[in-house]
Amino acid sequence: MRAGLRQLFVVLWLAVAFAAPVALPIAAQDSAQTEEGAAVNYDDWERMAARAEQEIENRNVSDERLDELRGQLAQWRAALLSSENANAARIGTLREQLAALGPAPAEGATEAEEISKRRTELADQLVRLQAPGIAADEAYRRADGLIREIDRIMRERQADQLLQLWPSPVNPGNWPEAAIGLSDTVLQLWDEVASAWADRDARGELFDNVPLILVLLVVALALVVYVRRWVERFALKLLEGASARGRKVWSLLVSLGEVLLPTLGVMALTSALVASGMLGQIGARIAEVLPFVGFVIFAAAWIGGRAFPKTQGEDAVLPLPPERRAEGRFLSVLMGVVLGADMIRSAAMDAQSYSDATTAVMSFPILVTGGLILLRIAGVLRKSREVADRSYALRLLSILARGLAVIGIAGPVLAGFGYVQAASALIYPAILSLGLVTLLFILQRLIGDVWAMIIKNDGQGREALVPVLAGFTMSLASLPLFALIWGARSSDITELWTRFTEGFQMGETRISPSNFMVFALVFVLGYMLTRLFQGALRTTILPKTTMDQGGQTALVAGIGYVGIFLAALAAINAAGIDLSGLAIVAGALSVGIGFGLQQIVSNFISGIILLVERPVSEGDWIEVGGVQGRVRAISVRSTRIETFDRNDVIVPNADLITGQVTNWTRFNLSGRLIVPVIVALGTDSHKVEDILRQIAEAQPLAVLNPPPLIVFMGYTDRVMQFEIRVILRDVNFSLSVRSDINHQIMQRFAAEGIAIVAPPAPPAEPNPQRVAEAVLALEQVAARAAPARKSKTAGEPTA
């Protein structure tokens, strides 16, 4: 019966899939808390702790009693934890008062009598106020230790139960005993009905309730068969005929009737059986479990219909052919039937206290069927690997398919050897986990569709940030459900939540989630105030000053860093976090920072220097490390330079401080332009110089004071070299001015008959491949010549 109740418990958890992770910790916290300010009776605690220790030492104590003890100890632990902080404010005040009196005098030294008397009074008060907290801390640790011991015992018992070896169900010698147990259950059920029929009062009650029974049976038949089909057809019509944005949402919501309405029909059937008065103990247990069986089967069919729909769009999670989808829907229903069959077997036979051999043989066919279904559904899921464009969800399903295949094989094998409980702990949780994973996918797509309706954009609805975050939150919220499905106890979940709410100890300070919430709230508030102040400076105050743009940027950036630092300090102080215990850790980390982060620190310091000294400002044309461009942004770590090719180059700030930087436009926009000109030897050099000077002085951007300079650089046996050196008012137009000068030189030289000579080409570098080929050829020639020289030396001399 316990196994059946466990399955019912898990099904109920699945029915409230996403309310449970929130309700469970709240209920656990409420059950553990006591009234604020209530004094702890340590005499009662001592008696409770002593009784718990005695019962824990008794190895025959039942699991139910251990669970009861654990709940009581958890309540005491919560009360003791709240008592640890008793008089905390007063204790803090007394410590500040003692600190104000100064350090205690050294041995042999004296101090004023008033100060000594006051120090003694404050110390006595501090001792009295600390006593309750010390006692509560000791009792808390004792309660926590007892709870840990109970959890250890429960885990060991659970492991022993899973590894328990029963008689093998494939051994034919165990089949007669199982057949006797099955026939005995059927006969008892028949005897219960026959005894009730023989009872005149029970028979009279049946006849009196015949109209009600008939109505309930008609309602059950209509809801289970006809209404369910009508809801399914209506949902398909909505999916095909509704608007593009809302059709999927409304179709999914309407399709929930395929689960709720048939489940109500099964409940009507159960009510009809109870109203008949013909049920005994076994029949009542079976009737009690029927609504849960119906819910499991209909929910499995609904999940299968959503995962393997009859009509599939292009955005389907599992792009499968129609025959594979039909197989998936059929297997989903079978998985629900397997769970329901085990629930009925447990309700009918577990209370009869049959032998392990009977339970093993009766459970084996259900486990084998479940394993085969898992193996087959894994094959269906693996078909998604044939899709060319595989998404992240398909990769997860592929991994899940491999796990289901392993469980589908290992479960029946373990059951065949006699490890029936271990097989049950694999197959049934695997089926429930598969259903929960599919439900998560369905809800994720539902949130995406709802978000698409809100933003009125079908293309970006499911891929937006909000649905993704919601899906991630649902995945985290479902972790307690997965833990419960795979054998975790509810006390394990509540213990994790208790540990989380209690926080952890750091020095003399306990850090809890509330501290983190206060820290985050204060820090975010300080950060927002800093950004608002920066925005007011940047847009309202600084533009009205005579400070240049670089100085304004430096001031705004500096205020931002100072504001963030102050916000962090205020948040730490508001959260009550004591950082004195981190001094040793900070000292150790400083060594690692000195070696591992020295380049980052160097860039950070260089950025501060750039923002303060401003050798380079935003908008300057600079050249650093062979890169030329305009400075677009200066941050604390790096500087962004936009080249003339419209590319962004990120330069570490250390390169701008330690390297050579050319700032073409630091103080003004004027700059020098040099244009080389080469003419043939024999040309009148004075004529060339006059033409070049006229061309340079005719440029609109050329500065006439100092005037352009024409330099005769030299000559060779073939050419003469000249240079035009002109100062431009705006060096940013140097390329266009150079192009214009070259055009005018070509026109004037052509009109005057002056020949322009191309600059001499640099000497060509040797081709490595040709050099290698030449060396190889020389080696081959030398190799052929060597034998000839050897034969000539060894033979007779020639004439």
Side-chain angles (χ1 to χ4, degrees), residues 8 58 103 130 149 244 356 501 544 601 773:
L8 293 177
N58 183 11
Q130 285 179 335
E149 191 170 354
D356 294 339
T501 54
K544 298 179 180 180
V601 174
E773 293 175 353

Side-chain angles (χ1 to χ4, degrees), residues 548-551 553 611 614-623 628-635 639-644 646 656 661-670 730-732:
D548 61 357
Q549 184 63 36
T553 303
L611 293 175
R614 300 194 303 278
V616 175
S617 301
E618 294 183 6
D620 288 351
W621 174 15
I622 67 172
E623 179 180 357
Q628 288 191 19
R630 292 191 179 280
V631 178
R632 290 304 182 191
I634 301 176
S635 64
T639 298
R640 182 170 63 90
I641 299 176
E642 183 182 9
T643 65
F644 298 110
R646 295 292 186 259
L656 298 175
V661 180
T662 302
N663 195 331
W664 300 97
T665 59
R666 177 66 184 107
F667 297 103
N668 52 62
L669 297 178
S670 61
D730 192 347
V731 75
N732 293 316

Side-chain angles (χ1 to χ4, degrees), residues 178-369:
I180 293 173
L182 178 61
S183 61
D184 180 66
T185 302
V186 174
L187 290 176
Q188 288 187 36
L189 183 61
W190 176 259
D191 291 340
E192 290 175 356
V193 176
S195 299
W197 179 262
D199 188 355
R200 179 178 299 177
D201 295 336
R203 193 167 57 249
E205 182 181 358
L206 172 63
F207 291 149
D208 293 338
N209 293 332
V210 165
L212 175 62
I213 294 173
L214 291 177
V215 172
L216 291 174
L217 290 177
V218 170
V219 170
L221 180 64
L223 291 177
V224 172
V225 179
Y226 298 103
V227 175
R228 180 176 178 274
R229 294 179 180 176
W230 180 82
V231 171
E232 182 179 2
R233 289 195 295 268
F234 183 62
L236 289 176
K237 288 182 179 180
L238 283 178
L239 187 61
E240 295 174 356
S243 63
R245 290 195 182 97
R247 61 184 184 184
K248 296 179 181 179
V249 176
W250 294 115
S251 175
L252 181 63
L253 295 178
V254 169
S255 66
L256 292 175
E258 300 176 23
V259 179
L260 300 179
L261 295 179
T263 301
L264 292 177
V266 178
M267 294 176 64
L269 175 62
T270 302
S271 300
L273 294 176
V274 173
S276 67
M278 296 289 105
L279 299 180
Q281 293 182 356
I282 298 178
R285 286 194 295 267
I286 295 176
E288 182 182 359
V289 83
L290 278 180
F292 300 100
V293 173
F295 174 79
V296 169
I297 295 176
F298 297 132
W302 180 80
I303 291 176
R306 307 287 79 74
F308 309 99
K310 294 182 179 179
T311 58
Q312 182 171 263
E314 297 180 355
D315 57 346
V317 177
L318 292 174
L320 297 171
E323 60 274 9
R324 290 294 182 183
R325 297 201 302 272
E327 183 182 3
R329 293 192 296 271
F330 177 71
L331 293 175
S332 300
V333 175
L334 286 184
M335 284 190 286
V337 172
V338 166
L339 293 177
D342 183 71
M343 295 167 66
I344 294 176
R345 181 207 60 77
S346 177
M349 302 187 67
D350 283 355
Q352 307 302 318
S353 299
Y354 290 116
S355 64
D356 294 339
T358 301
T359 305
V361 173
M362 296 303 301
S363 301
F364 185 69
I366 304 176
L367 292 173
V368 171
T369 305

Side-chain angles (χ1 to χ4, degrees), residues 550-618:
Q552 296 179 14
T553 303
L555 180 60
V556 171
I559 289 177
Y561 290 113
V562 172
I564 293 174
F565 178 73
L566 294 178
L569 289 181
I572 292 173
N573 185 38
I577 300 175
D578 184 12
L579 299 181
S580 60
L582 297 179
I584 300 177
V585 179
L589 289 177
S590 61
V591 179
I593 293 175
F595 287 99
L597 302 179
Q598 56 182 351
Q599 192 64 33
I600 296 178
V601 174
S602 175
N603 290 326
F604 183 83
I605 301 299
S606 301
I608 295 177
I609 295 174
L610 287 176
L611 293 175
V612 174
E613 294 185 356
R614 300 194 303 278
V616 175
S617 301
E618 294 183 6

Side-chain angles (χ1 to χ4, degrees), residues 9 46 54 107 145 227 267 330 348 357 389 403 454 481 487 524 534 536 541 565 584 739 769:
F9 180 74
E46 287 294 336
Q54 292 177 358
E107 186 177 356
V227 175
M267 294 176 64
F330 177 71
D389 185 14
I454 295 175
L481 291 178
V524 170
Q534 283 182 293
I541 300 175
F565 178 73
I584 300 177
S739 178
Q769 182 177 359

